[in-house]
């Protein structure tokens, strides 16, 4: 499998975590968003949207990070990223979608570029925008999370779909000066994931394009 992505892309980051949790081998193919490589003809042949990531497996092209992770779950079911119980699966999906659909998209690079280039938003206003939506989303998440020392993750004793989405968002939160200490449950999940190789290896600074 080839994963085309950008080291700081939250969507790429969450797929890296999922691949690692599944123990799947893949080749990482950097796409430099700052140089607009995602808009080039070669990459648009993989993803006409010009967005990362794209996963290529035996000539099959998959796009959209959550669709990719769900495909991995269906084709490589162990270890599972979702609970066995249908109601619990729905609960975990709702938590994951809170991050992937409601928090992250409105602060990704193309949105921030538009805010500044087309709407004239200042750097300070842009930072306020980012922090507002992270704090708003994290406040809601904090009330929904039910974790304990025995079950430190959203789905129980092992990390899964929600953690794939949450950890990249925590990385962004800390990058933009949001104190996650005000969210004890989120912080506990972050600390539990921080010591696991699947999450360590997926971190942006550990990718080949982080120094480019």
């Amino acid at each position: 499998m080839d994963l085309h992505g950008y080291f700081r892309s939250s969507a790429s980051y969450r797929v890296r975590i999922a691949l690692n949790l599944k123990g799947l081998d893949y080749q990482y193919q950097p796409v430099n968003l700052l140089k607009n490589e995602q808009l080039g003809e070669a990459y648009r042949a993989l993803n006409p949207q010009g967005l990362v990531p794209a996963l290529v497996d035996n000539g099959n092209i998959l796009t959209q990070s959550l669709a990719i992770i769900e495909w991995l779950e269906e084709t490589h079911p162990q270890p599972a990223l979702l609970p066995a119980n249908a109601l619990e699966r729905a609960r975990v999906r709702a938590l994951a979608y809170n991050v992937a659909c409601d928090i992250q998209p409105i602060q990704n690079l193309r949105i921030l570029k538009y805010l500044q280039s087309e709407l004239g938003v200042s750097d300070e206003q842009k930072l306020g925008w980012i922090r507002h939506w992270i704090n708003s989303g994290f406040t809601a998440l904090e009330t929904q999370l039910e974790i304990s020392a025995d079950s430190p993750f959203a789905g129980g004793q092992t990390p899964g779909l929600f953690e794939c989405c949450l950890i990249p968002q925590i990385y962004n939160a800390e990058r933009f000066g949001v104190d996650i200490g005000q969210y004890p449950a989120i912080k506990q999940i972050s600390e539990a994931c921080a010591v696991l190789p699947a999450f360590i290896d997926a971190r942006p600074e550990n990718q080949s394009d982080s120094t480019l």
Side-chain angles (χ1 to χ4, degrees), residues 82-164:
L82 286 165
N85 178 276
L87 188 60
E88 282 300 299
R89 286 199 302 274
R91 186 182 70 85
V92 169
R93 282 189 175 105
L95 293 170
Y97 296 169
N98 187 319
V99 176
C101 301
D102 296 331
I103 303 176
Q104 185 269 328
I106 53 179
Q107 55 182 276
N108 68 20
L109 185 60
R110 63 177 182 161
I111 299 300
L112 299 179
K113 282 184 175 180
Y114 185 86
L115 286 174
Q116 293 200 290
S117 64
E118 300 297 325
L119 302 183
V121 170
S122 68
D123 287 340
E124 183 178 355
Q125 289 173 317
K126 181 183 76 172
L127 185 58
W129 167 279
I130 294 169
R131 289 173 174 171
H132 169 78
W133 292 114
I134 293 175
N135 281 314
S136 176
F138 277 11
T139 297
L141 279 175
E142 188 71 16
T143 65
Q144 296 172 283
L145 290 170
E146 299 174 3
I147 60 174
S148 65
D150 294 331
S151 298
F153 305 105
Q157 296 182 345
T158 57
L161 177 65
F162 174 64
E163 286 74 25
C164 289

Side-chain angles (χ1 to χ4, degrees), residues 13-196:
Y13 190 173
R14 64 178 72 121
V15 173
R16 293 197 301 265
I17 295 171
L19 286 163
N20 292 344
L21 287 172
K22 293 286 187 183
L24 297 172
D25 292 329
Y26 65 96
Q27 296 296 317
Y28 180 59
Q29 308 292 347
V31 179
N32 194 322
L33 302 187
L34 299 183
K35 294 182 178 179
N36 291 321
E37 290 179 358
Q38 75 278 16
L39 302 179
E41 184 176 347
Y43 185 73
R44 280 190 180 272
L46 296 178
N47 186 351
Q49 282 187 291
L51 301 174
V52 293
L55 183 71
V56 182
D57 180 49
N58 291 323
N60 298 306
I61 303 169
L62 297 99
T63 61
Q64 290 292 340
S65 61
L66 291 182
I68 292 171
I69 295 173
E70 292 273 7
W71 176 81
L72 292 172
E73 182 75 348
E74 292 173 2
T75 56
H76 302 84
Q78 297 300 325
L81 300 181
L82 286 165
N85 178 276
L87 188 60
E88 282 300 299
R89 286 199 302 274
R91 186 182 70 85
V92 169
R93 282 189 175 105
L95 293 170
Y97 296 169
N98 187 319
V99 176
C101 301
D102 296 331
I103 303 176
Q104 185 269 328
I106 53 179
Q107 55 182 276
N108 68 20
L109 185 60
R110 63 177 182 161
I111 299 300
L112 299 179
K113 282 184 175 180
Y114 185 86
L115 286 174
Q116 293 200 290
S117 64
E118 300 297 325
L119 302 183
V121 170
S122 68
D123 287 340
E124 183 178 355
Q125 289 173 317
K126 181 183 76 172
L127 185 58
W129 167 279
I130 294 169
R131 289 173 174 171
H132 169 78
W133 292 114
I134 293 175
N135 281 314
S136 176
F138 277 11
T139 297
L141 279 175
E142 188 71 16
T143 65
Q144 296 172 283
L145 290 170
E146 299 174 3
I147 60 174
S148 65
D150 294 331
S151 298
F153 305 105
Q157 296 182 345
T158 57
L161 177 65
F162 174 64
E163 286 74 25
C164 289
C165 295
L166 178 65
I167 296 305
Q169 190 58 62
I170 290 174
Y171 172 84
N172 280 342
E174 293 178 333
R175 181 180 168 216
F176 292 112
V178 174
D179 177 18
I180 67 165
Q182 60 190 308
Y183 307 109
I186 288 174
K187 183 179 180 182
Q188 184 175 333
I189 293 174
S190 176
E191 291 173 346
C193 291
V195 298
L196 301 178

Side-chain angles (χ1 to χ4, degrees), residues 193-205:
C193 291
V195 298
L196 301 178
F199 290 87
I200 295 170
D201 293 345
R203 285 187 62 82
E205 64 267 25

